[in-house]
Amino acid sequence: MRIDPNSFNPILGYKLDPGEPGLPYSAPASLSVIRVLSQELSNYMAFKKEAIQKGGYIIMGGIYLDLQKRGAFLAAVAGKTRVFIYTPGEKNTQSANPTSDQQNKPSRLEIERRIEELRQRIEETEDPMERERLKRELELLEMALNTLNTALRLPEFLVGSLLDILV
């Protein structure tokens, strides 16, 4: 009985999403996880770079692989990268002079003031939908503040090195 080696390790073809950077090349099932994961990691780094350029933070995210049996291997047949970016002042805070070139980045004290304001509004509101929306906004601000506090504790040369690597 003749055994076809391609039935044990089939070649999987991949397509990129429209507008997604990268090369749509094939990979055998045995190397599919590495191939899909490398593409999704590059997408994650692109999102991270975009967040830094806008003065924001990735507050949550993940890489998800669709694993299925192909031949004798558990292969990655698709991947998805999802991130949530918080940019302080993007929607809620508008600059007094919209034509000025100043960046719209609130300071740590402004974020803390906004957090206290949200806590008061949560206690005062009686609408459960509004309360949930305010709680979500509060959580995002607290995560951004934690990220900012962590970044402030890093040595300056390390922050510069990280930004050079990411950008």
Side-chain angles (χ1 to χ4, degrees):
M1 177 171 165
R2 196 159 183 82
I3 298 174
D4 182 20
N6 288 333
S7 65
F8 286 111
N9 195 13
I11 303 295
L12 305 175
Y14 296 100
K15 295 187 302 184
L16 298 176
D17 291 335
E20 181 180 9
L23 298 172
Y25 59 89
S26 301
S30 59
L31 299 176
S32 65
V33 172
I34 294 172
R35 194 272 180 247
V36 174
L37 188 58
S38 68
Q39 176 66 34
E40 297 307 322
L41 281 172
S42 68
N43 291 344
Y44 185 85
M45 293 308 292
F47 286 131
K48 194 168 190 173
K49 179 181 174 183
E50 178 183 334
I52 289 171
Q53 287 174 344
K54 291 181 177 180
Y57 315 93
I58 291 182
I59 56 174
M60 188 172 67
I63 294 174
Y64 307 94
L65 300 179
D66 182 10
L67 300 174
Q68 296 179 6
K69 188 170 189 300
R70 294 288 191 259
F73 297 93
L74 188 61
V77 296
K80 180 179 181 180
T81 302
R82 186 172 184 184
V83 299
F84 294 96
I85 298 174
Y86 175 70
T87 306
E90 184 176 80
K91 255 188 183 177
N92 299 332
T93 309
Q94 295 296 323
S95 90
N97 184 4
T99 59
S100 70
D101 290 338
Q102 71 182 17
Q103 291 183 337
N104 203 4
K105 295 181 187 176
S107 68
R108 184 173 170 258
L109 293 174
E110 290 172 341
I111 293 174
E112 289 173 346
R113 181 192 54 77
R114 179 70 177 145
I115 287 173
E116 286 305 315
E117 180 184 307
L118 283 173
R119 286 185 179 145
Q120 288 176 351
R121 286 182 57 195
I122 288 171
E123 291 177 10
E124 294 171 358
T125 188
E126 294 183 17
D127 182 19
M129 297 296 284
E130 178 69 11
R131 184 176 291 125
E132 286 302 314
R133 187 190 67 76
L134 293 171
K135 284 181 181 179
R136 282 193 304 271
E137 187 176 345
L138 177 65
E139 288 174 4
L140 291 174
L141 282 172
E142 287 173 339
M143 284 189 262
L145 185 62
N146 288 339
T147 304
L148 182 63
N149 289 339
T150 303
L152 292 176
R153 281 187 247 133
L154 292 174
E156 187 176 314
F157 72 90
L158 183 59
V159 173
S161 300
L162 287 172
L163 288 176
D164 290 341
I165 291 169
L166 297 175
V167 178

